[in-house]
Amino acid sequence: MMSPAPASRPNSVTLRFLAAPMDVGVAGTVSAGTVLEWVDKAAYAAAVGWSTSYCVTAYVGNIRFEDPISSGDLVEVTASVVYTGSTSMHIRTEVSFSDPRELRPTMSTTCLVIFVAVDENGKPTAVPNYVPESLREIELRNNALARIEIRNQIVASMKDQVYSNAGTAERVVLRFMAAPTDVNWGGKVHGGIVMKWIDEAAALCASRYCGQDTVAVFSGGIRFYRPLFIGDLVEVEARLVYTGTKGMHIAVHVRSGNPKTREMNLTTYCLTIMVTRDETGTAVPVKPWVPVSEEDHRLHDHALELLTIRANAPGGYTPTHLVHEPDSTATAGESAK
């Protein structure tokens, strides 16, 4: 049974720092993978502070990357517990930034991260119950609750898909060893590091398809199935599954295993949307990808199904920097594409 949290227990953490030159990607701004790493660190701090136990990343919800962050910008990442289950904590994160000489913050992105508290044996353990008090806290709790069914639909849709050599779309596979520098406080690979690998693989796949530098504008349904250990062989596979007017939808699977064996297990899966931009920062059209094989058509339809599901999520909308396609299955809530 969950116990109420002490009144003095904080439910929010804010990290402030300057974006460093090494945070900048090939596009000249901070990469989406680095932003995801920041999000995971802040959310982890909030989760540990609330639960007073070690926690693991379970799921990262829809995250849209709006205005780009540059080296030298003052970055602020706020993570707040907005809902608790028996062992889980739903944490809303907000990333904002500003020129430190002006101090006029710009909102970059928001997303919901779910952490699970675990004991010394790695088993889920109970967390104190969070009770919202203000109207704003109640609104954020209700939004988190509304997303549970949306998330279940996304997970179910993703789980049923098969990715094989029968697909003909652009595809890249990165292979490497998980290094000691990737470790988190529990001795495993940090969830933020995994999300950075996902962004790198998606960017490579999209760039090979369109022949230009690309950046992520959306990442969603990042589900962590099992831990990834230091010394594991890691395989990050990115595959194009759909193109819209400007967006390239890339499905990414992360697998890992003991390098002494041939067994690889699925660790993480998500869908990322990449675009290429002109010198003004505006997303430009990309050549359409036309499905060929039966698997191509199935994954193409799967991407459209995810668009429809996410359109029904709280706050679903059509990004202004992407053109809405006249496709009956892509609704106004999420057209990416």
Side-chain angles (χ1 to χ4, degrees), residues 32-44 54-60 113-115 181-199 222-230 254 267-270:
T34 296
V35 176
L36 286 166
E37 189 176 2
W38 295 342
V39 163
D40 192 65
K41 286 181 178 179
Y44 177 83
Y54 175 61
C55 301
V56 295
T57 313
Y59 188 87
V60 179
V113 184
I114 300 176
F115 274 86
T181 52
D182 301 326
V183 71
N184 66 11
W185 296 271
K188 303 176 181 66
V189 174
H190 200 291
I193 294 293
V194 177
M195 290 190 285
K196 197 168 187 176
W197 295 341
I198 287 171
D199 178 63
I222 307 176
R223 176 78 179 270
F224 292 84
Y225 293 94
R226 53 175 55 84
L228 198 157
F229 298 95
I230 301 303
V254 181
T267 299
T268 311
Y269 171 58
C270 80

Side-chain angles (χ1 to χ4, degrees), residues 19 37 56 62 88 93 96 121 135 150-151 213 249 269 321 336:
E37 189 176 2
V56 295
N62 300 347
S88 64
T93 63
S96 60
N121 298 314
L135 291 177
I150 298 294
R151 184 173 67 254
D213 292 335
H249 294 220
Y269 171 58
H321 54 277

Side-chain angles (χ1 to χ4, degrees), residues 124-138:
T125 186
V127 300
N129 186 34
Y130 169 70
V131 180
E133 297 180 354
S134 69
L135 291 177
R136 176 58 174 165
E137 290 174 341
I138 293 172

Side-chain angles (χ1 to χ4, degrees), residues 39-98:
V39 163
D40 192 65
K41 286 181 178 179
Y44 177 83
V48 170
W50 184 262
S51 65
T52 66
S53 67
Y54 175 61
C55 301
V56 295
T57 313
Y59 188 87
V60 179
N62 300 347
I63 177 168
R64 297 179 181 86
F65 303 97
E66 305 290 352
D67 296 306
I69 302 173
S70 301
S71 174
D73 281 345
L74 177 62
V75 180
E76 184 173 289
V77 187
T78 298
S80 305
V81 177
V82 295
Y83 172 71
T84 53
S86 57
T87 63
S88 64
M89 293 152 286
H90 296 222
I91 300 172
R92 183 179 188 270
T93 63
E94 300 178 359
V95 181
S96 60
F97 67 95
S98 62

